[in-house]
Amino acid sequence: MSMNRGAMIALWILLGLVALSLAGPWLNPNTIDALDWSHVASSPALANAHWFGTDRLGRDLFVRTLEGTRMSLIVGLVASAVSLAVGVSYGAICGYFGGRTDYWMMRIVEILSGLPLIFFVIFLTVIFGRSEALLFVCIGAVGWLTMARIVRGQTLSVRRREFIEAAVASGAGPGRIIARHIIPNVLGPVIVYATLTVPQIILFESFLSFLGLGVQEPHASLGTLIAEGAVEMQGAPWILLVPGIFLAVLLLCLNIVGDGLRDRLAQEP
Amino acid sequence: MSEPLLKVRDLGVRFGATTVLKDVSFDLFAGETLGLVGESGSGKSTLARALLRLVPVSGGEVLWRGRNLLGCDAAEMRNHRRELQIVFQDPLSSLNPRMTAGQILAEPLSIFERALSLRDRQLRIDAMLERVGLGKAAARRYPHEFSGGQCQRIGIARAMMLNPTLLVCDEPVSSLDVSIQGQIVNLLFDLQRDFGIAMLFISHNLAVVRHLSHRVLVIYRGRQVEIAPRDTLFAAPVHPYTRGLLAAASGVALSAAEPPATDVPVPSGCVFRDRCAYRQDACAAAQPNLEAVGPEHLVACRRARDLMS
Amino acid sequence: MPEVLRIEQLTIDFLSAERIAAVREVSLQVSPGECLGIVGESGSGKSQTFMGALGLLPRSARATGSVRFEGREILDAPRAVLNKIRGSRLSMVFQDPMSSLTPHLRIGTQLAEVLVCHRGMSWRESELAALRMLDRVRVPESKRRLRQYPHQLSGGMRQRVMIAMGLLCEPALMIADEPTTALDVTVQAQIIDLLRTLRHEYGTAFVLISHDLAVVGGLADRILVMYAGRVVESAAARDLLRRPRHPYTAELLRCVPDLSGPPLERMPSLPGQPPDAAQPAAGCEFAPRCPFAVELCRAQRPPLRRLGPGEVACHFPLPS
């Protein structure tokens, strides 16, 4: 399945980033938490091993940025996968059954949507302390909501189509109809939305990490790196620029690929 | 006369405040085709779906082999569905675009005959594809790769997979080119002859109904107006509406006016009163009941006797 | 008097991998006030011919040949030129009125819009003209219908509204693409009758496209039969219906239902189905389904030739 040229280029860049973040550490001898006192806040240089420079504590930025990218991707992909699974099932069930089931299930969605999320996260962090698990829980609690709404809407229109009636007439039960008839036919918009969810979640996680919630030391995510870099912006701009550029490129490519997928899927018969 | 397979009594369907069907009653015997004729808005498609409980029914009974389908629980109804199948009007939209023809045909088997081995299942699918004139290779293709007529064959094959006893055909050829319609009609004719199925054949096209039906039921704005053996209906229709339909279809004359849009209320008394050339004051009183005017010939018209002479 | 429409050797190709019938070297003309019927099965290219002529095809379509409307070449004309012609001098009525009418605008608005755009009339005047036109196309309770939305009208009424829209600017030519196909058989006769009346009232030329020969036969002066993107027969309607020269036309005639005769065992139909446009044959495209086909037919494509007052593309045309 090929998309337009821009999207294919973005896809390759994305794959390159993924490969880099996975293989990167092997390319560079430094570790993410090794403190190099001889090169504190040094600018990028090819001569020494610090290709992207170091941060305020002398940690190599190349390795840390790649770790950050890895972390952001993992959070983005895992949380998206969970929100996809939960959101699609939830939305399909609401849309198919309608009536009271739909009514109450959607009220739950609306309540969760109305939660002041940041306060919620801060509150939980105060109680349970900073942890990645908490991050996953918080993102997981809200990541699926919009997906559920979208799938519910799509299900409502697919439900009217004649082949659903035909399936009922063939004796299929609700489970089979939802799994084999409804979900495969709503996948188009779902896939597109899923690819756009990934950058949203990454951005959200970065934001939380930037605020000091979520990923803890010595691990890094693009958000924490950007937070650190913001402080040093005047004196050592690369500490901000490197993770910033990585984040921007990552998000841009994900969005372009999402658009390309939508255009491609819109052409299907 | 043997017992009818299907007995419909006073069937009524309402969508909100609108009455779509009222007091529909008829019998269907094994191996016969009952043609159901009506214009858009007559409720004929709703009747097809009501019989199979694909739409909620507000009144009446549908007795299948003596059991009221409307009173069955989900499990029992599911069981009955083996014998009661339906072919839809729009061939393409009645097929799941994400499933191949083979998968579409496999589904009824997965639901009702789970014990079948994969090989036997494939044999059954191939045999059915051949029987409807498509060939084994069709199993791997998707609906959008077929023409309208071919899609309809797949729909018929799906309905036939479990050897049903009753096949409801809701305008199965109306979406097809005139030159292809005959292929599908003849296929249905052959299947009925070979498998002994009873058929309810719904159409607005009298010419098509004429080919397949043993008896014909005419419906207008949700009510039955006439039911008769085919030859009788076409040679000597009694109800003014039936006469108008035949005249229009033969190109002899135009029917009085178009069927009214669904938002125009049904007149009190006889449902056809406002378009009828033979109306009298008595017609405003109540919808006339079906009365016998000949062998197996029933008409819902106060002036039936007059009109016959 | 110049012809209203003259199409010469129109050939349309689709560059993408879509399964749409191509059009091959189609030539036809329509004189003022004449009704030309185009008959063919789905996929014969009958709609594509006129969509292509009017510039309504997607960008992946490439058209060559000549299309002259009122003496002016319009094939590949710039959008501005086409927009002035379409809707005013030349109107088109499509098959499914539900998708042709904007669902969220009232009927009156959609009708009046045509006059406001093309004639520069005020909304008030346009709505009055629209009301008069609705009466002319025999929509009952026209004043009420004007304020309604498309979904509130029946199929037959929507089609009348489309016809009304097409006639508002008193075009020289109206193209009706399968105007009765989505309608009940009984309503079809009424729409055909309406078109016949309007033709005499307005003197508009018509092109009537359908897969149903009976529908076309009731209205057309001349009939063109298309198969697999080509014209296979062209003749005066009376001649074609009584003495078809091409086997395909004869088969189509056979399929026209006849309620007057006794009920037949088998409903007449054509075997097989129309060919796939993606795989053109070397010989006659109809050969696989033709009861009279021989080797020559499969090997060599018969050119469209004059035969009496009409034209046929067949090696062995039926005797007259």
Side-chain angles (χ1 to χ4, degrees), chain A residues 224-261:
Chain A
T224 58
L225 292 173
I226 289 175
E228 290 166 13
V231 171
E232 302 290 329
M233 209 161 47
Q234 292 251 338
W238 58 89
I239 304 181
L240 171 64
L241 284 175
V242 170
I245 290 172
F246 265 74
L247 183 61
V249 169
L250 184 61
L251 294 178
L252 189 64
C253 288
L254 282 169
N255 277 299
I256 293 177
V257 168
D259 274 351
L261 260 181

mmCIF file of all heavy atoms in Angstrom, chain A residues 224-261:
data_model
loop_
_atom_site.group_PDB
_atom_site.id
_atom_site.type_symbol
_atom_site.label_atom_id
_atom_site.label_comp_id
_atom_site.label_asym_id
_atom_site.label_seq_id
_atom_site.Cartn_x
_atom_site.Cartn_y
_atom_site.Cartn_z
ATOM 1 N N THR A 224 11.260 15.587 29.215
ATOM 2 C CA THR A 224 12.178 15.971 30.293
ATOM 3 C C THR A 224 13.409 16.653 29.712
ATOM 4 O O THR A 224 13.907 17.627 30.262
ATOM 5 C CB THR A 224 12.630 14.738 31.099
ATOM 6 O OG1 THR A 224 13.265 13.811 30.230
ATOM 7 C CG2 THR A 224 11.450 14.068 31.787
ATOM 8 N N LEU A 225 13.863 16.160 28.580
ATOM 9 C CA LEU A 225 15.049 16.769 27.961
ATOM 10 C C LEU A 225 14.763 18.210 27.559
ATOM 11 O O LEU A 225 15.594 19.101 27.717
ATOM 12 C CB LEU A 225 15.463 15.966 26.722
ATOM 13 C CG LEU A 225 16.010 14.563 27.001
ATOM 14 C CD1 LEU A 225 16.230 13.807 25.700
ATOM 15 C CD2 LEU A 225 17.309 14.655 27.785
ATOM 16 N N ILE A 226 13.585 18.431 27.053
ATOM 17 C CA ILE A 226 13.230 19.785 26.655
ATOM 18 C C ILE A 226 13.132 20.682 27.888
ATOM 19 O O ILE A 226 13.549 21.845 27.878
ATOM 20 C CB ILE A 226 11.911 19.784 25.844
ATOM 21 C CG1 ILE A 226 12.163 19.170 24.468
ATOM 22 C CG2 ILE A 226 11.378 21.205 25.687
ATOM 23 C CD1 ILE A 226 10.924 19.009 23.636
ATOM 24 N N ALA A 227 12.610 20.099 28.973
ATOM 25 C CA ALA A 227 12.526 20.881 30.211
ATOM 26 C C ALA A 227 13.917 21.294 30.674
ATOM 27 O O ALA A 227 14.147 22.443 31.040
ATOM 28 C CB ALA A 227 11.823 20.065 31.279
ATOM 29 N N GLU A 228 14.819 20.347 30.661
ATOM 30 C CA GLU A 228 16.188 20.666 31.067
ATOM 31 C C GLU A 228 16.795 21.696 30.137
ATOM 32 O O GLU A 228 17.496 22.619 30.576
ATOM 33 C CB GLU A 228 17.055 19.400 31.035
ATOM 34 C CG GLU A 228 16.697 18.394 32.131
ATOM 35 C CD GLU A 228 17.331 17.027 31.876
ATOM 36 O OE1 GLU A 228 18.221 16.924 31.008
ATOM 37 O OE2 GLU A 228 16.914 16.065 32.546
ATOM 38 N N GLY A 229 16.535 21.517 28.849
ATOM 39 C CA GLY A 229 17.122 22.420 27.856
ATOM 40 C C GLY A 229 16.603 23.831 27.969
ATOM 41 O O GLY A 229 17.326 24.797 27.720
ATOM 42 N N ALA A 230 15.330 23.944 28.359
ATOM 43 C CA ALA A 230 14.745 25.282 28.463
ATOM 44 C C ALA A 230 15.493 26.136 29.465
ATOM 45 O O ALA A 230 15.682 27.335 29.283
ATOM 46 C CB ALA A 230 13.276 25.158 28.848
ATOM 47 N N VAL A 231 15.924 25.491 30.540
ATOM 48 C CA VAL A 231 16.654 26.219 31.575
ATOM 49 C C VAL A 231 17.978 26.754 31.042
ATOM 50 O O VAL A 231 18.405 27.854 31.359
ATOM 51 C CB VAL A 231 16.905 25.266 32.774
ATOM 52 C CG1 VAL A 231 17.845 25.914 33.764
ATOM 53 C CG2 VAL A 231 15.587 24.891 33.420
ATOM 54 N N GLU A 232 18.644 25.970 30.214
ATOM 55 C CA GLU A 232 19.989 26.313 29.719
ATOM 56 C C GLU A 232 19.963 27.037 28.393
ATOM 57 O O GLU A 232 21.004 27.194 27.753
ATOM 58 C CB GLU A 232 20.805 25.018 29.542
ATOM 59 C CG GLU A 232 20.948 24.192 30.796
ATOM 60 C CD GLU A 232 21.844 24.881 31.812
ATOM 61 O OE1 GLU A 232 22.760 25.601 31.375
ATOM 62 O OE2 GLU A 232 21.593 24.720 33.005
ATOM 63 N N MET A 233 18.774 27.478 27.987
ATOM 64 C CA MET A 233 18.605 28.012 26.637
ATOM 65 C C MET A 233 19.613 29.080 26.261
ATOM 66 O O MET A 233 20.136 29.112 25.167
ATOM 67 C CB MET A 233 17.182 28.594 26.523
ATOM 68 C CG MET A 233 16.633 28.526 25.141
ATOM 69 S SD MET A 233 14.848 28.688 25.100
ATOM 70 C CE MET A 233 14.562 30.075 26.157
ATOM 71 N N GLN A 234 19.899 29.976 27.173
ATOM 72 C CA GLN A 234 20.800 31.085 26.840
ATOM 73 C C GLN A 234 22.217 30.619 26.616
ATOM 74 O O GLN A 234 22.855 30.966 25.643
ATOM 75 C CB GLN A 234 20.785 32.109 27.997
ATOM 76 C CG GLN A 234 19.474 32.834 28.133
ATOM 77 C CD GLN A 234 19.622 34.281 27.694
ATOM 78 O OE1 GLN A 234 20.724 34.822 27.684
ATOM 79 N NE2 GLN A 234 18.522 34.895 27.315
ATOM 80 N N GLY A 235 22.704 29.804 27.558
ATOM 81 C CA GLY A 235 24.118 29.463 27.505
ATOM 82 C C GLY A 235 24.422 28.294 26.592
ATOM 83 O O GLY A 235 25.407 28.287 25.859
ATOM 84 N N ALA A 236 23.580 27.282 26.636
ATOM 85 C CA ALA A 236 23.879 26.070 25.860
ATOM 86 C C ALA A 236 22.632 25.660 25.087
ATOM 87 O O ALA A 236 21.933 24.718 25.456
ATOM 88 C CB ALA A 236 24.311 24.944 26.803
ATOM 89 N N PRO A 237 22.365 26.378 24.008
ATOM 90 C CA PRO A 237 21.103 26.172 23.294
ATOM 91 C C PRO A 237 20.897 24.775 22.735
ATOM 92 O O PRO A 237 19.774 24.331 22.569
ATOM 93 C CB PRO A 237 21.154 27.208 22.166
ATOM 94 C CG PRO A 237 22.591 27.589 22.034
ATOM 95 C CD PRO A 237 23.212 27.415 23.368
ATOM 96 N N TRP A 238 21.968 24.043 22.461
ATOM 97 C CA TRP A 238 21.793 22.729 21.856
ATOM 98 C C TRP A 238 21.087 21.751 22.779
ATOM 99 O O TRP A 238 20.485 20.811 22.314
ATOM 100 C CB TRP A 238 23.146 22.138 21.428
ATOM 101 C CG TRP A 238 24.120 22.004 22.565
ATOM 102 C CD1 TRP A 238 24.264 20.948 23.403
ATOM 103 C CD2 TRP A 238 25.048 22.983 23.011
ATOM 104 N NE1 TRP A 238 25.219 21.192 24.340
ATOM 105 C CE2 TRP A 238 25.725 22.443 24.115
ATOM 106 C CE3 TRP A 238 25.383 24.291 22.573
ATOM 107 C CZ2 TRP A 238 26.699 23.155 24.794
ATOM 108 C CZ3 TRP A 238 26.367 24.979 23.269
ATOM 109 C CH2 TRP A 238 27.027 24.417 24.374
ATOM 110 N N ILE A 239 21.162 22.012 24.086
ATOM 111 C CA ILE A 239 20.514 21.099 25.023
ATOM 112 C C ILE A 239 19.000 21.130 24.809
ATOM 113 O O ILE A 239 18.295 20.143 25.025
ATOM 114 C CB ILE A 239 20.849 21.468 26.482
ATOM 115 C CG1 ILE A 239 22.364 21.493 26.662
ATOM 116 C CG2 ILE A 239 20.220 20.470 27.450
ATOM 117 C CD1 ILE A 239 22.819 21.825 28.058
ATOM 118 N N LEU A 240 18.504 22.281 24.375
ATOM 119 C CA LEU A 240 17.085 22.402 24.047
ATOM 120 C C LEU A 240 16.817 22.013 22.597
ATOM 121 O O LEU A 240 15.866 21.285 22.295
ATOM 122 C CB LEU A 240 16.635 23.848 24.292
ATOM 123 C CG LEU A 240 15.219 24.190 23.798
ATOM 124 C CD1 LEU A 240 14.178 23.380 24.542
ATOM 125 C CD2 LEU A 240 14.949 25.660 23.952
ATOM 126 N N LEU A 241 17.715 22.501 21.724
ATOM 127 C CA LEU A 241 17.448 22.322 20.301
ATOM 128 C C LEU A 241 17.415 20.866 19.857
ATOM 129 O O LEU A 241 16.549 20.466 19.069
ATOM 130 C CB LEU A 241 18.492 23.067 19.467
ATOM 131 C CG LEU A 241 18.306 24.585 19.407
ATOM 132 C CD1 LEU A 241 19.468 25.215 18.654
ATOM 133 C CD2 LEU A 241 16.990 24.916 18.728
ATOM 134 N N VAL A 242 18.372 20.088 20.348
ATOM 135 C CA VAL A 242 18.446 18.705 19.863
ATOM 136 C C VAL A 242 17.172 17.920 20.160
ATOM 137 O O VAL A 242 16.530 17.413 19.235
ATOM 138 C CB VAL A 242 19.703 17.997 20.426
ATOM 139 C CG1 VAL A 242 19.633 16.521 20.121
ATOM 140 C CG2 VAL A 242 20.958 18.601 19.828
ATOM 141 N N PRO A 243 16.767 17.816 21.440
ATOM 142 C CA PRO A 243 15.510 17.078 21.657
ATOM 143 C C PRO A 243 14.315 17.761 21.027
ATOM 144 O O PRO A 243 13.367 17.107 20.590
ATOM 145 C CB PRO A 243 15.376 17.025 23.188
ATOM 146 C CG PRO A 243 16.277 18.066 23.714
ATOM 147 C CD PRO A 243 17.357 18.269 22.722
ATOM 148 N N GLY A 244 14.354 19.098 20.983
ATOM 149 C CA GLY A 244 13.248 19.835 20.372
ATOM 150 C C GLY A 244 13.075 19.465 18.918
ATOM 151 O O GLY A 244 11.958 19.203 18.447
ATOM 152 N N ILE A 245 14.203 19.445 18.192
ATOM 153 C CA ILE A 245 14.128 19.091 16.777
ATOM 154 C C ILE A 245 13.656 17.650 16.605
ATOM 155 O O ILE A 245 12.801 17.362 15.756
ATOM 156 C CB ILE A 245 15.507 19.289 16.099
ATOM 157 C CG1 ILE A 245 15.796 20.788 16.004
ATOM 158 C CG2 ILE A 245 15.515 18.668 14.714
ATOM 159 C CD1 ILE A 245 17.186 21.100 15.529
ATOM 160 N N PHE A 246 14.166 16.773 17.429
ATOM 161 C CA PHE A 246 13.746 15.370 17.340
ATOM 162 C C PHE A 246 12.240 15.249 17.543
ATOM 163 O O PHE A 246 11.542 14.541 16.830
ATOM 164 C CB PHE A 246 14.480 14.522 18.389
ATOM 165 C CG PHE A 246 15.707 13.853 17.855
ATOM 166 C CD1 PHE A 246 16.857 14.597 17.600
ATOM 167 C CD2 PHE A 246 15.724 12.493 17.592
ATOM 168 C CE1 PHE A 246 18.003 13.988 17.105
ATOM 169 C CE2 PHE A 246 16.865 11.879 17.094
ATOM 170 C CZ PHE A 246 18.008 12.619 16.849
ATOM 171 N N LEU A 247 11.734 15.931 18.558
ATOM 172 C CA LEU A 247 10.297 15.861 18.844
ATOM 173 C C LEU A 247 9.492 16.422 17.679
ATOM 174 O O LEU A 247 8.505 15.828 17.238
ATOM 175 C CB LEU A 247 9.964 16.632 20.134
ATOM 176 C CG LEU A 247 8.485 16.560 20.555
ATOM 177 C CD1 LEU A 247 8.066 15.132 20.832
ATOM 178 C CD2 LEU A 247 8.224 17.433 21.769
ATOM 179 N N ALA A 248 9.958 17.582 17.184
ATOM 180 C CA ALA A 248 9.219 18.215 16.093
ATOM 181 C C ALA A 248 9.173 17.313 14.863
ATOM 182 O O ALA A 248 8.120 17.133 14.240
ATOM 183 C CB ALA A 248 9.847 19.561 15.750
ATOM 184 N N VAL A 249 10.323 16.747 14.525
ATOM 185 C CA VAL A 249 10.375 15.882 13.346
ATOM 186 C C VAL A 249 9.492 14.652 13.550
ATOM 187 O O VAL A 249 8.748 14.235 12.656
ATOM 188 C CB VAL A 249 11.841 15.455 13.046
ATOM 189 C CG1 VAL A 249 11.871 14.358 12.004
ATOM 190 C CG2 VAL A 249 12.655 16.645 12.574
ATOM 191 N N LEU A 250 9.566 14.080 14.730
ATOM 192 C CA LEU A 250 8.757 12.896 15.029
ATOM 193 C C LEU A 250 7.270 13.197 14.846
ATOM 194 O O LEU A 250 6.543 12.473 14.167
ATOM 195 C CB LEU A 250 9.041 12.462 16.473
ATOM 196 C CG LEU A 250 8.371 11.176 16.956
ATOM 197 C CD1 LEU A 250 8.812 10.002 16.120
ATOM 198 C CD2 LEU A 250 8.724 10.940 18.417
ATOM 199 N N LEU A 251 6.813 14.269 15.455
ATOM 200 C CA LEU A 251 5.399 14.617 15.375
ATOM 201 C C LEU A 251 4.993 14.939 13.949
ATOM 202 O O LEU A 251 3.935 14.522 13.468
ATOM 203 C CB LEU A 251 5.085 15.808 16.288
ATOM 204 C CG LEU A 251 5.241 15.548 17.780
ATOM 205 C CD1 LEU A 251 4.960 16.819 18.571
ATOM 206 C CD2 LEU A 251 4.309 14.440 18.230
ATOM 207 N N LEU A 252 5.853 15.687 13.252
ATOM 208 C CA LEU A 252 5.532 16.071 11.887
ATOM 209 C C LEU A 252 5.381 14.839 10.999
ATOM 210 O O LEU A 252 4.416 14.694 10.258
ATOM 211 C CB LEU A 252 6.636 16.987 11.350
ATOM 212 C CG LEU A 252 6.356 17.647 10.008
ATOM 213 C CD1 LEU A 252 5.172 18.585 10.124
ATOM 214 C CD2 LEU A 252 7.589 18.404 9.529
ATOM 215 N N CYS A 253 6.336 13.934 11.127
ATOM 216 C CA CYS A 253 6.266 12.731 10.283
ATOM 217 C C CYS A 253 5.037 11.902 10.596
ATOM 218 O O CYS A 253 4.358 11.406 9.691
ATOM 219 C CB CYS A 253 7.521 11.884 10.474
ATOM 220 S SG CYS A 253 8.959 12.634 9.733
ATOM 221 N N LEU A 254 4.722 11.764 11.871
ATOM 222 C CA LEU A 254 3.539 10.980 12.232
ATOM 223 C C LEU A 254 2.279 11.606 11.646
ATOM 224 O O LEU A 254 1.393 10.916 11.138
ATOM 225 C CB LEU A 254 3.415 10.871 13.752
ATOM 226 C CG LEU A 254 4.342 9.842 14.402
ATOM 227 C CD1 LEU A 254 4.337 10.006 15.906
ATOM 228 C CD2 LEU A 254 3.919 8.426 14.030
ATOM 229 N N ASN A 255 2.193 12.921 11.710
ATOM 230 C CA ASN A 255 1.007 13.582 11.171
ATOM 231 C C ASN A 255 0.918 13.429 9.659
ATOM 232 O O ASN A 255 -0.162 13.185 9.113
ATOM 233 C CB ASN A 255 1.017 15.072 11.540
ATOM 234 C CG ASN A 255 0.469 15.301 12.943
ATOM 235 O OD1 ASN A 255 -0.678 14.985 13.221
ATOM 236 N ND2 ASN A 255 1.299 15.806 13.824
ATOM 237 N N ILE A 256 2.064 13.569 8.988
ATOM 238 C CA ILE A 256 2.053 13.442 7.530
ATOM 239 C C ILE A 256 1.673 12.022 7.113
ATOM 240 O O ILE A 256 0.885 11.813 6.189
ATOM 241 C CB ILE A 256 3.403 13.847 6.927
ATOM 242 C CG1 ILE A 256 3.624 15.348 7.133
ATOM 243 C CG2 ILE A 256 3.440 13.528 5.441
ATOM 244 C CD1 ILE A 256 4.963 15.832 6.636
ATOM 245 N N VAL A 257 2.228 11.038 7.837
ATOM 246 C CA VAL A 257 1.884 9.651 7.516
ATOM 247 C C VAL A 257 0.392 9.419 7.747
ATOM 248 O O VAL A 257 -0.283 8.771 6.950
ATOM 249 C CB VAL A 257 2.736 8.667 8.354
ATOM 250 C CG1 VAL A 257 2.187 7.259 8.240
ATOM 251 C CG2 VAL A 257 4.173 8.700 7.899
ATOM 252 N N GLY A 258 -0.124 9.982 8.833
ATOM 253 C CA GLY A 258 -1.556 9.850 9.109
ATOM 254 C C GLY A 258 -2.398 10.417 7.984
ATOM 255 O O GLY A 258 -3.354 9.801 7.519
ATOM 256 N N ASP A 259 -2.008 11.598 7.503
ATOM 257 C CA ASP A 259 -2.736 12.213 6.396
ATOM 258 C C ASP A 259 -2.649 11.360 5.146
ATOM 259 O O ASP A 259 -3.620 11.174 4.424
ATOM 260 C CB ASP A 259 -2.147 13.586 6.086
ATOM 261 C CG ASP A 259 -2.758 14.663 6.964
ATOM 262 O OD1 ASP A 259 -3.740 14.366 7.672
ATOM 263 O OD2 ASP A 259 -2.254 15.792 6.938
ATOM 264 N N GLY A 260 -1.438 10.858 4.896
ATOM 265 C CA GLY A 260 -1.240 10.038 3.706
ATOM 266 C C GLY A 260 -2.088 8.789 3.747
ATOM 267 O O GLY A 260 -2.691 8.388 2.756
ATOM 268 N N LEU A 261 -2.170 8.192 4.918
ATOM 269 C CA LEU A 261 -3.002 6.996 5.084
ATOM 270 C C LEU A 261 -4.461 7.307 4.813
ATOM 271 O O LEU A 261 -5.167 6.546 4.168
ATOM 272 C CB LEU A 261 -2.879 6.460 6.515
ATOM 273 C CG LEU A 261 -1.943 5.281 6.731
ATOM 274 C CD1 LEU A 261 -1.971 4.895 8.185
ATOM 275 C CD2 LEU A 261 -2.322 4.114 5.854
#
